[in-house]
Amino acid sequence: DIQMTQSPSTLSASVGDRVTITCRASQSIYSWLAWYQQKPGKAPKLLIYRASSLESGVPSRFSGSGYGTEFTLTISSLQPDDFATYYCQQYNDYLIYSFGQGTKLEIK
Amino acid sequence: VQLVESGGGLVQPGGSLRLSCAASGFTFGTYWMSWVRQAPGKGLEWVANIKQDGSEKYYVDSVKGRFTISRDNAKNSLYLQMNSLRAEDTAVYYCARKGKGFDYWGQGTLVTVSS
């Protein structure tokens, strides 16, 4: 099975900062990677699919990049609404999907 | 698009529970569907997938042989039959539509396995 590893586990930042979260796959997943945002008590929300495509309605300050085994989610200028937990997910192995362990983005 | 889960609750170890997910607002029978769970204070864990016509089903290793995913396209409904439940199955269970990623999720239903 493909393992997904996110870093860091926790990130402290301020409004207006540029932040980057990294996700590594244990084997190549080409571009079959998605990013989700989750707030406490809520279902996850799809932000990015196919590594770099922005889901409809998601602000353009969110962007994704990468291919193969290394991927990044970047928020260009943090807004108060962005403090949440972020997960990557591979769907290269379309039979079995797996998530990273999550990155909690906290207010500094 | 709306996904609404139901069927969660408190069950003893070794017991069974059947979760349902009612879908609306899209052509249910044209999408793969999944169950994803989240233990209290933990991350997301994909549980199971089912193909559009129900002919293919896949599970995370930890639930193989205990959980069964199914669907009824005529009723726009997804199900998860959970048998031989363990304490480690305690989680919020979400159903999700597989579009370009998991593009729509339900609100989740809590399953608690405890004596």
Side-chain angles (χ1 to χ4, degrees):
Chain A
D1 293 356
I2 299 173
Q3 308 301 318
M4 306 301 293
T5 304
Q6 282 181 239
S7 60
S9 296
T10 306
L11 179 57
S12 296
S14 302
V15 172
D17 284 353
R18 178 185 179 90
V19 299
T20 297
I21 298 169
T22 297
C23 180
R24 290 184 174 86
S26 59
Q27 64 189 75
S28 178
I29 58 171
Y30 305 95
S31 295
W32 301 114
L33 185 102
W35 289 98
Y36 300 86
Q37 178 193 67
Q38 188 181 32
K39 296 181 178 179
K42 300 294 186 181
K45 173 186 175 183
L46 177 66
L47 301 175
I48 302 285
Y49 62 94
R50 210 168 294 169
S52 60
S53 296
L54 194 67
E55 174 70 343
S56 177
V58 174
S60 59
R61 62 181 179 273
F62 291 92
S63 63
S65 65
Y67 182 85
T69 62
E70 190 145 337
F71 302 86
T72 58
L73 173 70
T74 299
I75 309 172
S76 60
S77 178
L78 273 175
Q79 300 302 301
D81 190 50
D82 299 338
F83 292 95
T85 300
Y86 293 83
Y87 295 92
C88 62
Q89 179 205 31
Q90 69 82 17
Y91 52 104
N92 173 66
D93 181 349
Y94 70 95
L95 307 179
I96 297 176
Y97 304 125
S98 48
F99 291 91
Q101 80 277 17
T103 295
K104 186 175 183 180
L105 180 53
E106 299 179 329
I107 300 174
K108 184 183 287 184
Chain B
V1 172
Q2 194 170 16
L3 298 170
V4 179
E5 302 93 339
S6 60
L10 175 64
V11 60
Q12 293 188 338
S16 298
L17 214 52
R18 188 195 196 206
L19 305 183
S20 299
C21 173
S24 60
F26 66 102
T27 307
F28 178 72
T30 63
Y31 287 87
W32 281 79
M33 295 294 296
S34 292
W35 287 99
V36 176
R37 68 184 178 183
Q38 187 168 37
K42 302 297 184 182
L44 301 171
E45 180 181 39
W46 167 80
V47 173
N49 280 344
I50 186 167
K51 194 176 179 179
Q52 290 91 332
D53 62 358
S55 62
E56 296 181 37
K57 306 174 185 182
Y58 303 96
Y59 303 91
V60 69
D61 284 349
S62 59
V63 308
K64 283 179 183 175
R66 301 188 299 122
F67 290 12
T68 302
I69 189 172
S70 62
R71 64 193 297 163
D72 185 334
N73 289 342
K75 294 183 178 180
N76 291 333
S77 292
L78 177 71
Y79 306 102
L80 186 67
Q81 177 67 44
M82 304 186 295
N83 298 331
S84 303
L85 283 160
R86 306 167 180 167
E88 55 264 35
D89 296 318
T90 294
V92 173
Y93 284 73
Y94 296 99
C95 65
R97 187 182 85 167
K98 171 61 175 67
K100 292 171 282 189
F102 285 177
D103 54 2
Y104 287 94
W105 298 66
Q107 84 289 351
T109 188
L110 176 62
V111 172
T112 303
V113 184
S114 175
S115 55

